[in-house]
Amino acid sequence: MEYEPHIRDMLTTLKRVAGAFKADGVPFALTGGFGAFARGAPPSRHDVDFAVLPEDAERALEVLAKAGLRPVDAVEDWLVKAHDGDVLVDLIHSPADSPVTPAQLARATPLQVDSVRLPVMEATDLLVMRLRALTEHECDFSGPLATARALREQVDWGRVRAEAGSPYARAFLVLLHQLGVVGAEHSGVRHEPPQYAAGHLQQALAEDPRTAEQGIRVRVAGDDVYLSGSVSCPRRRDRVLEVARERMPGRRIHDELSVVRFDGPVREERLT
Amino acid sequence: MITVAAVGDVHLDEEMRGRYRRRLGGLAGDADVLLLAGDLTKHGTVEEARVVAEEFRGLPVPVVAVLGNHDYQSDAPDAVAEVLRAEGVTVLEGEGTVVDCPGGRLGVAGAKGFAMGFPGRCASEFGEPEMKSFVRHSREAAEGLRRALKPLEADAVVALTHYSPVEDTLAGEPPEIFAFLGSYLLAEAIDASDVDLAVHGHAHRGTECGTTPGGVRVRNVALPVLGRPYGVYGIG
């Protein structure tokens, strides 16, 4: 297959690095954009990323130096870097404070990339790693989006949802749902019909010891939850709202509750 | 004339302590007796029962109570009743008591009662064991009320329950849940005796006034329904 010169250079680097690691017995896996490429995504135009164990990072860099690459001082503490001509190689060992584990490397599958076979990080691990890297300052979804589209059938979305829990990752899953890349069940987006949600909340308000309220009416319309009925004192009203917010995360809770008043004048009724 | 004060569903716990009692200052002038129609506590714990006992302790009139479903929530209704009795509250379940009032003797027959529904829309002892035991509990509760009413010799008689004997006083509640709010067997027991007034609670969104098919006045005295500390009813 013909690639443009820049991609070809990166593939050459990739092969050189993989060869060096194999020769010196450094455990590794291809990850990032080229990892996705190896699994069927379009070729990356960015760096060549490898995952290595944190304890192997320095040795891996020495191995690359021996193979003719030029180590670069990295300011980040979660990766080390080397240049192969114009191509930058990232050796990622502790992305987003989650060190690369032997289990992750063991899960990597040997795949053919251009003319070499090398371990490529599992699709789920690869995507989780990318999503964990999203932060306040780095939250461009376009890269992970291309990866997600290409790897959607190889990814265990339940695991992605469980392992990439940041607000950015959750927002990304909502985006995937909106774009139809994944189904609602994987996106964290509610798919429970509102009637059931209302039924469950109403029962929870009775059964939760914090509330023990049987007379609260619950109406759910889209993202809005309306609570009505009366409670005995203001603190109980607060707790009804607290339980409702807990049970209905992401929905707007509307407080239409009233506090029972019993300060009316006493009057006698004569039963005649 | 015998004057009865009655309230239900006060749902007291530690954070409600004192709130209710401060409304009881006028009780001596208002009534000869105070009836409590169940749901005295929030979760039916002994701690909550102590709050109730202290709230109603040393009042100028006798206090007679039945328990409600909330008072069963911690599976300790006997312990709850015991705490109340220790502070002088008469707690009834399937039994009656006679209170000497200046205007005569007032008989009070008390039972928690139970759900099951009303004629035409009513559960029956059929099918699964859970269904049978549900309906059986309702029958036993009504039987308890009947048993309590029978031997009462008094100048006026009140039937005191937590669950409602009639649909009238449920008006305002969603009709779909009427079957969970009372049982017509309670009304049948009331109509089988010479009863002057039936009071109940449980239906917070119901209405105060109703009658049994036999013409006995029924009053829903759930605190949210009353909007005042207690209802006062003059008999005779």
Side-chain angles (χ1 to χ4, degrees), chain B:
Chain B
M1 162 85 89
I2 295 170
T3 320
V4 173
V7 63
D9 306 83
V10 291
H11 292 291
L12 301 182
D13 61 6
E14 194 51 51
E15 64 190 30
M16 288 287 287
R17 188 188 280 278
R19 277 167 179 266
Y20 188 71
R21 189 174 177 100
R22 79 171 77 104
R23 299 280 167 195
L24 293 177
L27 191 58
D30 289 333
D32 301 320
V33 64
L34 175 63
L35 307 183
L36 303 178
D39 277 7
L40 312 177
T41 65
K42 192 77 181 148
H43 304 87
T45 64
V46 167
E47 293 72 25
E48 290 174 353
R50 286 205 188 95
V51 176
V52 176
E54 284 161 28
E55 207 80 350
F56 293 102
R57 177 169 59 188
L59 290 176
V61 300
V63 181
V64 180
V66 294
L67 301 186
N69 56 315
H70 277 252
D71 307 316
Y72 277 67
Q73 169 64 9
S74 297
D75 300 323
D78 293 343
V80 167
E82 198 177 309
V83 170
L84 298 179
R85 286 188 185 116
E87 292 295 347
V89 176
T90 303
V91 183
L92 303 175
E93 178 51 50
E95 57 210 318
T97 187
V98 176
V99 181
D100 276 319
C101 303
R105 286 169 309 144
L106 174 72
V108 182
K112 173 180 67 67
F114 195 48
M116 192 185 84
F118 299 93
R121 295 167 297 283
C122 178
S124 36
E125 216 173 301
F126 183 90
E128 302 86 333
E130 291 81 2
M131 200 65 209
K132 288 175 184 148
S133 85
F134 179 87
V135 172
R136 204 176 304 128
H137 181 56
S138 194
R139 288 192 163 138
E140 285 162 4
E143 193 48 47
L145 182 64
R146 199 180 276 261
R147 198 170 56 235
L149 281 165
K150 213 166 196 176
L152 277 183
E153 288 191 15
D155 301 308
V157 171
V158 176
L160 172 63
T161 60
H162 178 60
Y163 286 83
S164 177
V166 295
E167 287 179 298
D168 290 7
T169 48
L170 305 181
E173 295 280 0
E176 295 85 351
I177 70 165
F178 278 18
F180 298 107
L181 299 177
S183 147
Y184 80 89
L185 299 181
L186 297 172
E188 200 177 19
I190 289 163
D191 282 341
S193 274
D194 195 7
V195 176
D196 297 283
L197 169 68
V199 295
H200 72 87
H202 194 50
H204 292 200
R205 286 173 290 187
T207 25
E208 187 177 347
C209 299
T211 52
T212 65
V216 176
R217 248 71 67 87
V218 179
R219 296 294 177 262
N220 176 356
V221 295
L223 191 59
V225 171
L226 292 178
R228 54 192 197 275
Y230 40 79
V232 178
Y233 309 100
I235 304 169

Side-chain angles (χ1 to χ4, degrees), chain A residues 151-194:
Chain A
L151 307 190
R152 61 197 278 180
E153 275 147 9
Q154 302 172 48
V155 168
D156 175 347
W157 291 102
R159 237 182 79 208
V160 172
R161 194 149 58 94
E163 293 183 15
S166 77
Y168 311 99
R170 288 205 300 271
F172 180 73
L173 290 173
V174 171
L175 176 68
L176 290 188
H177 167 59
Q178 297 288 319
L179 294 175
V181 178
V182 298
E185 69 277 20
H186 297 310
S187 68
V189 173
R190 287 174 298 275
H191 59 289
E192 182 182 49

